[in-house]
């Protein structure tokens, strides 16, 4: 069956360190993958999109990698700040379908 | 643009009552999605529309749920009759190109 897995436990890191979040999937062949940020009481907010033919994408302090062989995406936040504390969701889009399937999300807490 | 607008933001109702959730997508976006989010099941796609036409409603849990999009600027999700297990946060999202823009959600509590 199709499955998307993100670390269910919260990730706690110190301010200034790099946070790395993982998204693994099985039985999908996504044309692209997206990462969203969700704060309590709010809707998810789009951060980055990476396509199947791209290995890496960057935006300011954010970096996403996509390994279609390992069926894994890594999401990095460098020089993390307490304001980066939120839940981060990965979402897969399968070719031919116009919908996203979301992972359960990983909660990140950045401590001063 | 004001972003995706949802109303009401909070709804508390009793079991058996009809509930109608409303969404105004971002102008010019041609796709609209309805999601439900719970702690147990995460963010689930219920139904989506393209140019006001329902394309995939396979995520709608039961016949008690229905959705309409009478025009490009308005959509409703209706639950009739509501049950306690329908309690969740319901999000509407609209899409331009490959990016979805979510509304603030409606927190529904069915007593």
């Amino acid at each position: 069956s199709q499955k998307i897995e993100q670390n269910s436990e919260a990730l706690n890191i110190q301010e200034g360190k790099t946070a790395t979040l993982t998204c693994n999937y099985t039985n999908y062949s996504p044309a692209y993958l997206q990462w969203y940020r969700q704060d309590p009481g709010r809707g998810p907010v789009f951060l980055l999109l990476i396509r199947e033919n791209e290995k890496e994408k960057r935006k300011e302090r954010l970096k996403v990698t996509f390994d279609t062989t390992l069926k894994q995406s890594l999401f990095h936040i460098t020089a993390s700040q307490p304001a980066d504390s939120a839940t981060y969701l990965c979402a897969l889009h399968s070719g031919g379908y116009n919908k996203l399937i979301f992972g359960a999300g990983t909660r990140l807490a950045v401590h001063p | 643009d004001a972003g995706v607008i949802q109303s009401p933001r909070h709804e508390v109702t009793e079991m058996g009552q009809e509930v109608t959730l409303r969404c105004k997508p971002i102008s010019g976006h041609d796709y609209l999605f309805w999601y439900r989010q719970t702690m147990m099941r995460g963010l689930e796609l219920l139904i989506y529309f393209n140019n006001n036409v329902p394309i995939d409603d396979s995520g709608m849990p039961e016949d008690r749920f229905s959705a309409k999009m009478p025009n490009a600027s308005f959509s409703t999700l209706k639950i009739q009759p509501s049950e306690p297990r329908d309690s969740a946060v319901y999000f509407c999202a609209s899409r331009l190109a490959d990016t979805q823009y979510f509304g603030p959600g409606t927190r529904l509590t069915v007593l």
Side-chain angles (χ1 to χ4, degrees), chain A residues 32 34 36 38 41-44 46 49 51 89 93 97-100 102, chain B residues 9 31 33 35 37 43 45 48 56 58 91 95 98-100 102-104:
Chain A
Y32 58 78
Q34 301 184 0
Y36 287 76
Q38 187 173 22
R42 294 176 175 264
F46 170 78
L49 179 153
R51 300 190 184 278
L89 306 167
H93 175 282
Y97 297 93
N98 283 304
K99 57 187 184 182
L100 293 176
F102 283 82
Chain B
R9 293 295 313 276
Y31 282 85
F33 302 81
Y35 291 88
Q37 188 173 41
L43 195 59
L45 177 65
Y48 74 92
D56 185 349
S58 61
F91 288 104
R95 193 182 91 177
D98 295 324
T99 302
Q100 291 192 16
F102 284 78

Side-chain angles (χ1 to χ4, degrees), chain A residues 61-106:
Chain A
R61 295 184 295 110
L62 309 181
K63 185 178 84 170
V64 173
T65 63
F66 193 10
D67 189 324
T68 56
T69 301
L70 290 179
K71 296 188 182 295
Q72 180 182 78
S73 175
L74 298 179
F75 177 80
H76 306 272
I77 305 175
T78 58
S80 60
Q81 305 165 0
D84 296 325
S85 299
T87 296
Y88 291 86
L89 306 167
C90 77
L92 303 186
H93 175 282
S94 288
Y97 297 93
N98 283 304
K99 57 187 184 182
L100 293 176
I101 308 300
F102 283 82
T106 297

Side-chain angles (χ1 to χ4, degrees), chain B residues 4-22:
Chain B
V4 175
I5 299 173
Q6 291 187 247
S7 65
R9 293 295 313 276
H10 302 273
E11 176 82 31
V12 180
T13 190
E14 292 190 346
M15 183 173 65
Q17 296 299 305
E18 176 180 298
V19 175
T20 299
L21 312 181
R22 297 173 175 79

Side-chain angles (χ1 to χ4, degrees), chain B residues 57-99:
Chain B
D57 66 354
S58 61
M60 297 284 261
E62 300 171 32
D63 291 344
R64 298 184 295 106
F65 287 68
S66 62
K68 294 183 180 179
M69 191 166 186
N71 57 62
S73 59
F74 184 66
S75 177
T76 60
L77 178 68
K78 186 177 294 187
I79 309 173
Q80 166 64 18
S82 58
E83 296 183 3
R85 60 193 166 123
D86 302 331
S87 297
V89 181
Y90 291 80
F91 288 104
C92 173
S94 65
R95 193 182 91 177
L96 184 65
D98 295 324
T99 302

